[in-house]
Amino acid sequence: MWRWTTHLDGGPRRVNHAAVSMGHKVYSFGGYCSGDDYETLRQIDVHVFNTVSLRWMKLPPVRTGGREHARDVPYMRYGHTAVLLDDTIYIWGGRNDTEGACNVLYAFHVNNHRWFTPKISGTVPGARDGHSACILGKAMYIFGGYEQLADCFSNDIHKLDTTTMAWSLVNARGTPARWRDFHSATIIGTKMFVFGGRADRFGPFHSSNEIYCNKIKVFDTETNSWLNTATAQLPPEGRRSHSAFSYNGELYIFGGYNARLDRHFNDLWKFNPEAFSWKKVEPQGKGPCPRRRQCCCLVGDRIILFGGTSPCPEQGMGDEFNLMDHSDIYILDFSPNLKMLCKLAVINYSLDQQGLPHDIRWELNAMTTNSNISRPIFSSHG
């Protein structure tokens, strides 16, 4: 029984950020917020969410002690990726309004919160944003994105061997996935599953002919081949800037945006790679409003979803530009325990007797899921 169990507000307001989970904590890097100053170059910010206490902490800026050390810390950016390998988080790509796109590899030690730039070799991918990154074994795979120098979408696969810190361009066989950005790529087993993103009908260069593919493309890392697969029945609408994650060998996607439909989504879909089929998932509880550019991180049997942007309520559910950025967190529990379910049942019964509206009921439910909610959820002391 899947259920949206917790809804909290008051965290960092972030869009197009990147995040990973380690243990019971979620580490969020960068992104932007409408109205903030991004002309001034500054260090990327790091926010940490404790999924036990349900509190945010912002890490203090790094003391660099000189220009050489300053280069080890990434500048504020959006459209980048973050992946976790052992106790190190690798940040790659993204762009800044003043510096443009980046192709420097940055590393962040989770244990001591220190940044460094690994010494790398090989064929470094061109600077870009809107790409995907995923880890398999000791390798990081980069796919797609919008390349700044070429000024076009990409469909190349680049591989970073973290044992040698050498980049290589993968010579992939088969028919590749279309050039795209703001898609998702998820590793299940030894295969990479690519879904969605923004592409152009006529090729790699961006024009007014955007398309949003809803077909799954599969890359086999063992044979370095794009596979010819059957067409999955009843897939979700094509979209970009959605979230994707794997759980128990299946692929899930949430939210996103389709400009051709002028529509934001808040639906949850499950893809079974064995049956090659989609199924829409309907969790209990009240989930997030339609949005894009949020982050989703798996922590145990729970999904921590936070941030993103949505149309302003007075503007309806579409519109590319009249958007509001979110500072909220939703928790989707794949297997809520009996104590949690009993507590929610008692609360709902009590509120039913009082005739309270559904929205009030939902907020009260969220407030009762953890005793720490009565305290501020943003802390500078951890």
Side-chain angles (χ1 to χ4, degrees), residues 1-3 283-284 333-336 341:
M1 180 191 299
W2 299 353
R3 178 184 287 272
Q284 296 186 7
D333 200 326
F334 286 134
S335 54
L341 294 175

Side-chain angles (χ1 to χ4, degrees), residues 66-309:
R67 295 184 63 182
E68 288 299 318
H69 292 292
R71 295 173 184 170
D72 287 338
V73 184
Y75 53 76
M76 198 64 174
R77 64 191 60 205
Y78 55 90
H80 51 294
T81 53
V83 296
L84 174 69
L85 183 58
D86 299 326
D87 60 354
T88 302
I89 298 172
Y90 292 100
I91 304 291
W92 194 84
R95 68 170 54 250
N96 179 285
D97 290 346
T98 57
E99 297 294 309
C102 179
N103 67 345
V104 176
L105 179 69
Y106 295 93
F108 177 82
H109 273 309
V110 175
N111 296 331
N112 58 21
H113 296 169
R114 291 185 179 177
W115 288 99
F116 67 100
T117 50
K119 185 177 180 180
I120 59 172
S121 61
T123 306
V124 180
R128 70 193 67 197
D129 70 324
H131 56 288
S132 58
C134 43
I135 288 286
L136 178 58
K138 297 293 184 180
M140 178 173 72
Y141 289 87
I142 297 290
F143 171 73
Y146 199 88
E147 290 196 58
Q148 177 170 284
L149 187 60
D151 195 20
C152 67
F153 298 110
S154 170
N155 68 346
D156 291 337
I157 300 175
H158 297 265
K159 178 181 177 181
L160 175 70
D161 184 339
T162 62
T163 60
T164 61
M165 299 312 294
W167 281 104
S168 61
L169 174 64
V170 176
N171 183 19
R173 297 190 292 270
T175 304
R178 197 174 187 87
W179 310 272
R180 66 186 74 193
D181 67 357
F182 293 105
H183 54 284
S184 61
T186 309
I187 293 287
I188 300 177
T190 59
K191 296 181 176 64
M192 181 174 71
F193 294 79
V194 175
F195 176 79
R198 175 183 61 173
D200 192 88
R201 187 177 303 278
F202 301 113
F205 295 97
H206 188 212
S207 70
S208 59
N209 293 280
E210 289 185 359
I211 58 173
Y212 295 84
C213 180
N214 65 350
K215 296 179 180 178
I216 288 276
K217 289 291 292 183
V218 183
F219 178 74
D220 189 333
T221 63
E222 292 186 321
T223 61
N224 281 345
S225 300
W226 290 99
L227 303 182
N228 291 320
T229 56
T231 300
Q233 299 299 310
L234 302 175
E237 295 281 2
R239 61 196 67 194
R240 65 176 168 95
S241 305
H242 54 285
S243 297
F245 56 91
S246 64
Y247 178 75
N248 284 348
E250 294 180 302
L251 168 67
Y252 293 79
I253 66 162
F254 172 86
Y257 174 70
N258 185 311
R260 294 188 67 86
L261 300 175
D262 197 15
R263 183 181 172 192
H264 287 76
F265 301 94
N266 66 341
D267 47 358
L268 179 67
W269 291 79
K270 176 176 71 173
F271 176 78
N272 185 306
E274 298 298 327
F276 220 80
S277 62
W278 286 98
K279 180 181 179 181
K280 190 174 183 180
V281 181
E282 302 280 3
Q284 296 186 7
K286 184 178 179 182
C289 66
R291 65 184 64 198
R292 57 174 151 150
R293 298 172 176 167
Q294 68 283 337
C295 279
C296 283
C297 291
L298 181 65
V299 178
D301 290 322
R302 297 183 297 168
I303 286 295
I304 314 299
L305 183 153
F306 59 101
T309 191

Side-chain angles (χ1 to χ4, degrees), residues 27-86:
Y27 294 80
S28 176
F29 299 86
Y32 69 88
C33 176
S34 301
D36 283 0
D37 173 26
Y38 292 99
E39 296 296 324
T40 304
L41 200 62
R42 64 184 189 276
Q43 292 182 11
I44 197 169
D45 55 19
V46 184
H47 292 88
V48 184
F49 181 68
N50 187 315
T51 64
V52 176
S53 66
L54 301 183
R55 301 181 76 181
W56 281 104
M57 174 182 68
K58 183 177 181 180
L59 299 187
V62 177
R63 295 182 180 179
T64 55
R67 295 184 63 182
E68 288 299 318
H69 292 292
R71 295 173 184 170
D72 287 338
V73 184
Y75 53 76
M76 198 64 174
R77 64 191 60 205
Y78 55 90
H80 51 294
T81 53
V83 296
L84 174 69
L85 183 58
D86 299 326

Side-chain angles (χ1 to χ4, degrees), residues 199 216 328 359 362:
I216 288 276
D328 54 4
D359 286 348
W362 162 245

